[in-house]
Amino acid sequence: MRYITDRQRAVGKGSAHHGAEHHWFMIVSSVALAFMLPTWVIIFGKALGSGYDAALETMARPFPAILTALVLVVGMIHFHKGARTMLEDYTQGTTRKLLIMAFVGFSYVMIACGLFALVKIAL
Amino acid sequence: MAEAKRIERPLSPFMIGQYYRPQLTSMSSILTRITGNALMVATLLIVWWLLALAAGPEAFETAEWWITSWVGNLVMFVSLWGLCYHYLAGLRHLIWDAGKGLDLETAEKLGWVCIYGSGVLTVLAVIIIWL
């Protein structure tokens, strides 16, 4: 019989084993996204389907470009961390590790491609 | 000392249906996960659109043709709804994380807010974008 509290006995026994830092990041990034997304959805929605010249004109301006970059970076990190919670619930062992790597990889590829495109459009 | 016994533990989501009646709170929670993860499809299309815009008119024509085709439009429209739903469900989580609205009645009410509110927000966004 070890004299520890119920809370201490429970720490690390969840499917993710730990996660306060992760949870806090999701809160911070979700608040950031909550402020950015309404404006971004309208800007992107209006640019989509407006033709090459109009789309280029919009995305070359500082505000749409910077906002799109922020939404992409914060959104994709929020995405792979959120997906990680799902993977920790439904998968185990090596499968879990490989899938987490795949989701993180996908997110960073999206960030790199999107930022490259935004820089090329702006310059 | 004896080896600790290895217990075969079931993997989530084994509870739903078998042991646990589907409820508004659990279903609206699962929908948050589905919408959040499904948004990767829209992300892929949007990044393709950006890359094509950077590459030039020809690449842009192809990308925009696909993304604004009826299949593309359907994917983008469903994604817009998914985003609205995930947005409201995210706000619900922030309320819960603040320790508020955890009683059953409020929790269910918030579930309905997510479901109806996401429809309203989607229509509102489409109207603003179209005008």
Side-chain angles (χ1 to χ4, degrees), chain B residues 42-61:
Chain B
T43 307
L44 199 63
L45 291 178
I46 290 164
V47 169
W48 177 32
W49 185 86
L50 281 172
L51 280 174
L53 185 62
E58 250 172 71
F60 186 74
E61 283 300 314

Side-chain angles (χ1 to χ4, degrees), chain A residues 34 46 49 89-90 110 120, chain B residues 11-12 33 64 87 128 131:
Chain A
K46 281 187 182 288
D89 278 352
Y90 303 145
M110 289 299 109
K120 198 168 174 223
Chain B
L11 257 186
S12 186
R33 175 167 286 184
E64 188 140 277
Y87 190 99
I128 292 171
L131 286 182

Side-chain angles (χ1 to χ4, degrees), chain B residues 14-32:
Chain B
F14 72 100
M15 290 291 284
I16 289 160
Q18 252 172 304
Y19 307 100
Y20 200 76
R21 178 172 60 86
Q23 293 166 88
L24 182 64
T25 41
S26 61
M27 291 298 121
S28 59
S29 169
I30 285 166
L31 202 53
T32 313

